[in-house]
Amino acid sequence: MIQNVFFFLKNKGEVKFLYDNLSISDGLKLMNEHGFTAMPVINKDGIYKGSISEGDFLWYLLNHSSITAEDLGTIKIKELIRKDYMPAVRIDVDLKTLIERSLEQNYVPIVDDRGIFIGIVTRKSIIKYLMNHTMNEAIPYDSEWSTTFDARPSN
């Protein structure tokens, strides 16, 4: 198996993310435009602040029923970020930890040693890699076994 997270990394330039100083209305608009249910959030310096989901917007609105449409343009999405939701890992993370984290999250945010967001690793990319590189090893072809379960009708 490969030994480097870079193999899976979708770099920041390819990732849609939100800035923490965007308003709730702008954040919702961008999420809708891009079609994602969750997106990474960074600050103006590029530091990963967390991820935000559609549910975070919904719960915030439900828990603050007095919010008006005008308020949505002034409240920043940094107010909605949950502390432990989709925590980032450093680029030097070992693959076992990366895979374990991907079991809990659709994507794993990757940061450098300063906390700067550099991209994500998606669960999909890990599964694709494992399917392509381990399926043949995990289920070796055995001609005797395959003829036992031959689906063709016998004559």
Side-chain angles (χ1 to χ4, degrees):
M1 186 186 253
I2 59 163
Q3 299 298 315
N4 198 320
V5 172
F6 284 108
F7 180 81
F8 297 114
L9 186 68
K10 186 179 221 182
N11 71 46
K12 182 179 176 181
E14 302 173 87
V15 175
K16 302 296 182 197
F17 56 86
L18 302 171
Y19 286 100
D20 68 347
N21 64 350
L22 287 174
S23 68
I24 290 177
S25 60
D26 288 340
L28 278 170
K29 182 179 176 182
L30 287 169
M31 283 188 85
N32 183 49
E33 284 176 13
H34 298 302
F36 294 115
T37 58
M39 293 176 72
V41 179
I42 64 173
N43 70 11
K44 65 179 176 54
D45 298 320
I47 295 173
Y48 178 74
K49 302 308 284 181
S51 286
I52 195 161
S53 71
E54 291 174 329
D56 295 322
F57 288 99
L58 175 63
W59 286 113
Y60 188 84
L61 295 173
L62 287 173
N63 291 328
H64 299 86
S65 58
S66 62
I67 290 178
T68 66
E70 290 176 353
D71 294 334
L72 296 178
T74 60
I75 300 169
K76 306 301 180 197
I77 63 171
K78 63 180 152 192
E79 303 298 322
L80 283 66
I81 298 172
R82 289 181 277 154
K83 182 176 171 43
D84 295 324
Y85 180 63
M86 290 200 190
V89 297
R90 286 179 31 156
I91 191 65
D92 57 358
V93 67
D94 63 273
L95 288 175
K96 181 178 186 256
T97 302
L98 180 68
I99 292 170
E100 287 172 347
R101 186 68 59 88
S102 76
L103 294 173
E104 305 295 325
Q105 306 170 195
N106 287 335
Y107 64 86
V108 180
I110 308 295
V111 296
D112 67 11
D113 58 349
R114 300 169 296 158
I116 303 292
F117 177 72
I118 59 174
I120 64 172
V121 171
T122 63
R123 181 186 303 159
K124 181 179 179 178
S125 68
I126 293 172
I127 292 171
K128 275 185 171 182
Y129 175 83
L130 293 173
M131 285 178 59
N132 290 335
H133 292 86
T134 62
M135 288 303 289
N136 290 337
E137 297 163 18
I139 306 172
Y141 179 76
D142 181 342
S143 59
E144 183 177 319
W145 181 84
S146 65
T147 57
T148 307
F149 295 100
D150 194 340
R152 292 177 287 184
S154 58
N155 293 335

